[in-house]
């Protein structure tokens, strides 16, 4: 978000004097592409869909369109071992059972199992919301895990979901109101999903190359902002001072939450 903000500011005025303070060693936030034995792995953000307009526009501006690669809209979540929850009867209406075959889902196991469908759980919660059995105020003040535990009558379902489902922030960081909205939009399998051939880190590399060409921009990595305060003196043109070290007129906080 820091690089992206700087990139957009420079489009407005390339003469802006900008300082980016990055607490991590590398730029890119959650985007982390790894290469191992000629194979590319995404250790952070991995896919995007055609309704995520900002990243689609950015990929186009950075001339990376040719690297967009269509992938399946379905997301598969499997427990390990694959038959771990076979004795949980209520899961039958939330999963797709699979038998031992030689297809790509079960080639690593000799056991039967299931594909867990998180959207079936969300659908049950949406039904309770529609029937006014869960209020927006309740959703705002609880996490999705808490809603599943307290409002759906399935013993230990929240524990099973935490173990199988990969996206922890949607389960117990976001409030349930925002999390359900996210599932109904961003995790909607009606959209066409893509990956970027070669990895999303190419976006970060392109942004860095553009920004580093501008002598008015400085990036400091491994820098932790401890405090920010307003200037009280009228004898300075700066409005803020950061860590008693940097004076600035404006501050943009690019934070994860």
């Amino acid at each position: 978000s820091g690089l992206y903000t700087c990139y957009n500011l420079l489009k407005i005025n390339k003469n802006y004097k900008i300082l980016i303070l990055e607490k991590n060693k590398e730029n890119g936030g959650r985007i982390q592409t790894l290469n191992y034995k000629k194979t590319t792995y995404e250790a952070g953000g991995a896919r995007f869909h055609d309704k995520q307009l900002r990243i689609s526009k950015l990929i186009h501006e950075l001339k990376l369109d040719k690297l967009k690669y269509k992938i399946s809209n379905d997301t598969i979540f499997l427990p390990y071992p694959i038959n771990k929850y076979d004795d949980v009867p209520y899961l039958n209406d939330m999963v797709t059972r699979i038998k031992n075959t030689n297809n790509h889902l079960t080639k690593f196991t000799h056991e039967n199992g299931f594909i867990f469908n998180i959207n079936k759980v969300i659908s049950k919660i949406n039904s309770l919301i529609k029937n006014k059995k869960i209020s927006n105020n309740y959703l705002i003040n609880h996490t999705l895990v808490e809603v599943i535990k307290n409002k759906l009558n399935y013993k230990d379902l929240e524990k099973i979901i935490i173990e199988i489902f990969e996206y922890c922030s949607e389960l117990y960081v976001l409030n349930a109101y925002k999390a359900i909205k996210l599932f109904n939009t961003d995790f909607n399998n009606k959209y066409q999903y893509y990956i970027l051939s070669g990895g999303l880190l190419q976006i970060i590399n392109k942004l860095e190359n553009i920004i580093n060409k501008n002598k008015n921009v400085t990036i400091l990595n491994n820098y932790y902002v401890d405090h920010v305060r307003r200037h009280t003196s009228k004898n300075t043109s700066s409005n803020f001072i950061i860590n008693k070290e940097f004076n600035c007129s404006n501050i943009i906080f690019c934070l994860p939450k």
Side-chain angles (χ1 to χ4, degrees):
S1 56
L3 292 176
Y4 180 68
T5 300
C6 180
Y7 167 75
N8 282 295
L9 286 172
L10 293 176
K11 286 198 294 183
I12 298 171
N13 187 341
K14 64 180 181 180
N15 293 317
Y16 279 148
K17 190 173 183 180
I18 299 171
L19 171 65
I20 300 177
L21 300 175
E22 168 60 56
K23 74 170 184 177
N24 296 315
K25 181 181 178 181
E26 305 290 341
N27 299 314
R30 292 177 61 188
I31 295 179
Q32 297 292 332
T33 302
L34 307 176
N35 293 289
Y36 179 71
K37 292 185 177 181
K38 298 182 180 180
T39 302
T40 300
Y41 299 91
E42 296 287 18
R47 62 177 188 159
F48 56 96
H49 59 67
D50 50 9
K51 297 300 181 181
Q52 291 176 311
L53 302 181
R54 287 190 181 93
I55 190 170
S56 297
K57 180 183 177 184
L58 181 61
I59 286 171
H60 177 72
E61 290 179 358
L62 298 178
K63 299 180 180 179
L64 295 171
D65 285 305
K66 292 182 179 180
L67 299 179
K68 286 172 62 176
Y69 183 83
K70 287 184 179 181
I71 61 172
S72 169
N73 298 352
D74 295 321
T75 304
I76 296 171
F77 298 99
L78 300 173
Y80 183 82
I82 203 167
N83 66 339
K84 183 172 183 178
Y85 299 111
D86 270 4
D87 60 346
V88 183
Y90 67 72
L91 283 179
N92 284 322
D93 61 348
M94 299 180 195
V95 302
T96 302
R97 294 282 173 182
I98 55 177
K99 294 182 178 180
N100 181 26
T101 64
N102 291 321
N103 64 32
H104 69 288
L105 293 175
T106 55
K107 66 181 180 180
F108 299 111
T109 179
H110 298 291
E111 303 148 342
N112 295 334
F114 64 77
I115 303 170
F116 184 78
N117 191 341
I118 186 72
N119 288 319
K120 290 187 177 181
V121 178
I122 300 302
S123 178
K124 291 178 182 296
I125 296 174
N126 282 331
S127 179
L128 291 175
I129 295 169
K130 184 178 179 180
N131 293 323
K132 298 183 178 180
K133 293 183 178 180
I134 303 179
S135 67
N136 285 342
N137 186 59
Y138 182 88
L139 294 172
I140 290 170
N141 288 285
H142 293 81
T143 65
L144 186 55
V145 165
E146 291 170 335
V147 172
I148 292 168
K149 181 179 180 179
N150 299 329
K151 296 296 182 178
L152 298 182
N153 296 318
Y154 299 105
K155 186 176 183 294
D156 294 331
L157 175 59
E158 76 282 355
K159 296 177 183 178
I160 295 172
I161 290 176
I162 288 172
E163 183 171 346
I164 298 175
F165 189 66
E166 295 177 339
Y167 299 95
C168 59
S169 61
E170 285 79 2
L171 293 179
Y172 42 81
V173 177
L174 287 177
N175 67 58
Y177 181 86
K178 288 187 176 181
I180 290 168
K181 185 177 180 181
L182 195 62
F183 276 103
N184 290 333
T185 54
D186 276 13
F187 289 127
N188 192 324
N189 61 10
K190 294 179 182 179
Y191 300 150
Q192 176 60 58
Y193 279 87
Y194 300 86
I195 59 172
L196 204 63
S197 179
L200 290 176
L201 191 62
Q202 294 169 101
I203 295 175
I204 303 303
N205 293 337
K206 284 265 190 178
L207 289 174
E208 286 178 330
N209 288 337
I210 292 170
I211 290 169
N212 287 333
K213 289 178 181 178
N214 191 308
K215 296 180 180 180
N216 291 318
V217 179
T218 302
I219 302 176
L220 293 182
N221 294 89
N222 288 323
Y223 191 95
Y224 186 81
V225 175
D226 185 52
H227 64 272
V228 178
R229 68 175 178 83
R230 285 185 176 274
H231 266 300
T232 56
S233 174
K234 296 181 180 180
N235 297 322
T236 178
S237 59
S238 301
N239 296 322
F240 303 95
I241 182 168
I242 301 173
N243 287 8
K244 299 181 180 180
E245 186 174 0
F246 299 110
N247 296 293
C248 58
S249 299
N250 300 284
I251 299 177
I252 299 175
F253 292 97
C254 303
L255 303 173
K257 62 178 180 177

